[in-house]
Amino acid sequence: MSFGDPNNPYGPPQGQQQGYGYPQQQPQTPGYPAAPPAQPYGYQPTPVVMPGSVKAARVMLYVLGGFQVLGGVLMMVASAWFADMFEDEISSDPSISAEDADTVASVGAGVMIGLGVVVLAFAVWAILTAVKFKTGGTGVRVSAIIYASLVTLFSVISLLTANVFALISLVLGILIIVFCANKNGSHWFNRPRY
């Protein structure tokens, strides 16, 4: 009996065919670690760094919040000046008593202070949302999109009254919506948190 016969069932094994049975291990080069295994199908790596578009949306929220803080404080400070000016205009009319003129001026100042508080509340909303971008999830994304939608709506209304400065907030609001709703924003806010 000869061991050289390839058809001999009792002979030594002839070696396995490549790609048959278990997958072959890659030889490891001394001094270098083995390569990590391939990722399973459908797995997308978690973004470690905030994408540029999401960073831009965050900066825009800070900018809008800062402008709204400035606007709210100016509205509250200007309410006293507005009340004095309004009272002077009304008191020049002899048919209106001084008490009525003072009441109307106080109501006007109260309205200005109330609007200033509302603008400051919007500013706090924008700044807190921007702060949560680093760690926040889907709720932060939704908050940013709703805030930007309201800013866009009020900017369009303000543009109809010929306020040219509302164009800046309109553009920033639209960009925030686009940057938070695109694919990079989706991956960032839907990433797993450990």
Side-chain angles (χ1 to χ4, degrees), residues 42-61:
Y43 175 79
Q44 294 192 355
T46 303
V48 178
V49 178
M50 188 183 304
S53 59
V54 178
K55 284 182 185 177
R58 184 182 191 190
V59 169
M60 290 176 203
L61 282 169

Side-chain angles (χ1 to χ4, degrees), residues 47-132:
V48 178
V49 178
M50 188 183 304
S53 59
V54 178
K55 284 182 185 177
R58 184 182 191 190
V59 169
M60 290 176 203
L61 282 169
Y62 280 128
V63 167
L64 282 174
F67 280 140
Q68 287 176 339
V69 165
L70 184 65
V73 169
L74 285 176
M75 288 174 78
M76 293 164 80
V77 168
S79 66
W81 172 79
F82 176 75
D84 289 341
M85 184 185 74
F86 201 63
E87 188 175 357
D88 289 343
E89 285 293 321
I90 292 178
S91 63
S92 64
D93 188 5
S95 64
I96 299 176
S97 69
E99 292 175 4
D100 291 339
D102 188 41
T103 303
V104 170
S106 297
V107 168
V111 168
M112 288 287 287
I113 291 174
L115 287 175
V117 168
V118 169
V119 170
L120 284 176
F122 265 83
V124 169
W125 181 12
I127 292 170
L128 287 179
T129 301
V131 166
K132 294 295 286 181

Side-chain angles (χ1 to χ4, degrees), residues 16-21 24:
Q16 292 184 344
Q17 297 175 357
Q18 290 288 26
Y20 207 65
Q24 298 294 321

Side-chain angles (χ1 to χ4, degrees), residues 101-179:
D102 188 41
T103 303
V104 170
S106 297
V107 168
V111 168
M112 288 287 287
I113 291 174
L115 287 175
V117 168
V118 169
V119 170
L120 284 176
F122 265 83
V124 169
W125 181 12
I127 292 170
L128 287 179
T129 301
V131 166
K132 294 295 286 181
F133 261 46
K134 187 78 171 170
T135 59
T138 307
V140 175
R141 179 182 181 204
V142 170
S143 175
I145 291 173
I146 291 172
Y147 171 81
S149 299
L150 289 173
V151 165
T152 303
L153 174 69
F154 290 130
S155 297
V156 168
I157 292 170
S158 187
L159 275 175
L160 294 176
T161 62
N163 182 0
V164 181
F165 294 111
L167 192 60
I168 296 169
S169 60
L170 176 68
V171 170
L172 291 178
I174 290 171
L175 286 175
I176 291 170
I177 293 170
V178 169
F179 289 158

